[in-house]
Amino acid sequence: TKNQNPSSSGDQKVIMLPCKSAPSRERVQLWLQAKKQYECLLR
Amino acid sequence: MATLTRQDLNFGQVVADILCEFLEVAIHMILYVREVYPSGIFQKRKKYNVPVQMSCHPDLNRYIQDTLHCIKPLIEKNEAEKVVVVIMDKEHHPVERFVFEISQPPLLSISSDTLLSHVEQLLRAVILKISVCDAVLDNNPPGCTFTVLVHTREAATRNMEKVQVIKDFPWIVADEQEVHMEEPKLIPLKTMTSDILKMQLYVEEKAKKT
């Protein structure tokens, strides 16, 4: 059940995070510039 | 008024759906308010009946969705103690941590009429607090990035494994550098208590960011 003492069963607290990184600001900035140029071409 | 256990109506799943939808909006708002990404990628939308800023960058949106998809099984089983949005400087040291401390009651006393509207009202207040949190935080150094941490238990990570494989989005145990922050300032933002969920949101901010 939920009320079991986790330390007694060896169930340690852990902090997890994704192995992959979020897109960098530079990559996102480049995408934004390309998007704006594309939108200009369409006008 | 009825008293239900977590097993009734698959309540864990309902809570996980509500919470993950909320966390998605909250993460977008944090990234916008704290200027982690250029403001040009954000578009105004309406969530919880308030205006919010959501990214339209496909890779970033996918990254946030995949992250939450992997956390969801933990929330469903009430095994995610904290979900933390960490903003890191160029050297990958944390400068700010937005900590969502979550707890779910084992017994639920609910009335269906009030349930969803009440929760929505409370979540709206949290979103509004995030939207103005820059007033109480120092500017971040240029070139920051972010990650999401989840505080759970070793056994519970097995619930994530299947989703990680399906999504090709593996998770690892955080190391000291990703977790440690020198002399953090604690800034409480909002506490919410509802029948299905209790949540506390606070920011841990590094005293000297530069």
Side-chain angles (χ1 to χ4, degrees):
Chain A
T1 65
K2 298 262 178 237
N3 294 329
Q4 274 179 331
N5 181 0
S7 58
S8 65
S9 58
D11 190 7
Q12 301 290 317
K13 284 187 175 189
V14 285
I15 304 174
M16 307 287 292
L17 83 165
C19 192
K20 290 180 184 176
S21 300
S24 68
R25 188 184 170 97
E26 290 74 26
R27 205 174 112 197
V28 170
Q29 184 71 55
L30 282 173
W31 175 86
L32 186 61
Q33 281 167 3
K35 183 173 172 276
K36 281 177 181 167
Q37 282 170 7
Y38 177 72
E39 283 165 358
C40 280
L41 284 173
L42 288 181
R43 279 186 212 130
Chain B
M1 179 93 57
T3 301
L4 304 169
T5 64
R6 291 188 54 78
Q7 284 70 39
D8 293 322
L9 305 171
N10 204 352
F11 235 90
Q13 207 175 340
V14 174
V15 173
D17 284 342
I18 292 171
L19 196 52
C20 285
E21 193 184 344
F22 162 77
L23 285 172
E24 186 177 4
V25 179
I27 293 171
H28 282 262
M29 281 297 284
I30 290 168
L31 299 179
Y32 172 76
V33 173
R34 301 311 293 146
E35 299 177 0
V36 177
Y37 292 104
S39 60
I41 68 157
F42 292 90
Q43 291 175 341
K44 199 183 256 185
R45 306 253 182 86
K46 209 172 178 185
K47 299 271 182 182
Y48 307 107
N49 220 19
V50 285
V52 294
Q53 297 282 346
M54 302 285 284
S55 148
C56 61
H57 187 277
D59 290 349
L60 176 60
N61 293 3
R62 170 61 53 201
Y63 183 85
I64 295 168
Q65 278 166 13
D66 285 348
T67 301
L68 292 171
H69 206 91
C70 291
I71 294 175
K72 207 172 189 176
L74 297 178
I75 297 175
E76 245 176 68
K77 292 188 161 46
N78 200 9
E79 290 168 334
E81 195 186 313
K82 290 176 191 171
V83 176
V84 187
V85 181
V86 187
I87 299 177
M88 299 170 297
D89 63 16
K90 272 182 187 166
E91 285 77 39
H92 290 268
H93 294 127
V95 288
E96 279 174 10
R97 277 198 290 250
F98 287 77
V99 184
F100 296 86
E101 217 174 273
I102 305 155
S103 65
Q104 299 174 44
L107 286 174
L108 304 158
S109 298
I110 58 154
S111 79
S112 55
D113 300 343
T114 57
L115 177 66
L116 289 178
S117 65
H118 181 55
V119 173
E120 189 179 300
Q121 216 171 39
L122 296 170
L123 295 176
R124 177 189 307 148
V126 183
I127 291 293
L128 286 171
K129 275 285 177 184
I130 294 172
S131 70
V132 295
C133 73
D134 55 329
V136 291
L137 297 171
D138 293 332
N139 288 343
N140 284 328
C144 281
T145 181
F146 85 103
T147 192
V148 176
L149 305 178
V150 60
H151 291 235
T152 183
R153 297 215 169 255
E154 218 172 309
T157 58
R158 281 176 221 125
N159 288 325
M160 294 173 82
E161 279 167 11
K162 203 173 162 186
V163 188
Q164 290 181 54
V165 174
I166 294 167
K167 284 270 165 194
D168 188 23
F169 199 80
W171 287 61
I172 50 172
V173 176
D175 61 29
E176 183 62 18
Q177 184 188 312
E178 283 141 344
V179 176
H180 181 73
M181 187 190 280
E182 279 174 36
E183 302 167 40
K185 270 191 290 178
L186 193 74
I187 300 146
L189 284 189
K190 190 74 190 162
T191 302
M192 65 160 271
T193 306
S194 77
D195 294 332
I196 57 165
L197 178 72
K198 285 183 182 178
M199 188 168 62
Q200 209 181 341
L201 169 61
Y202 56 88
V203 184
E204 289 174 329
E205 186 181 33
K206 191 178 173 184
K208 289 174 189 165
K209 288 182 171 175
T210 49

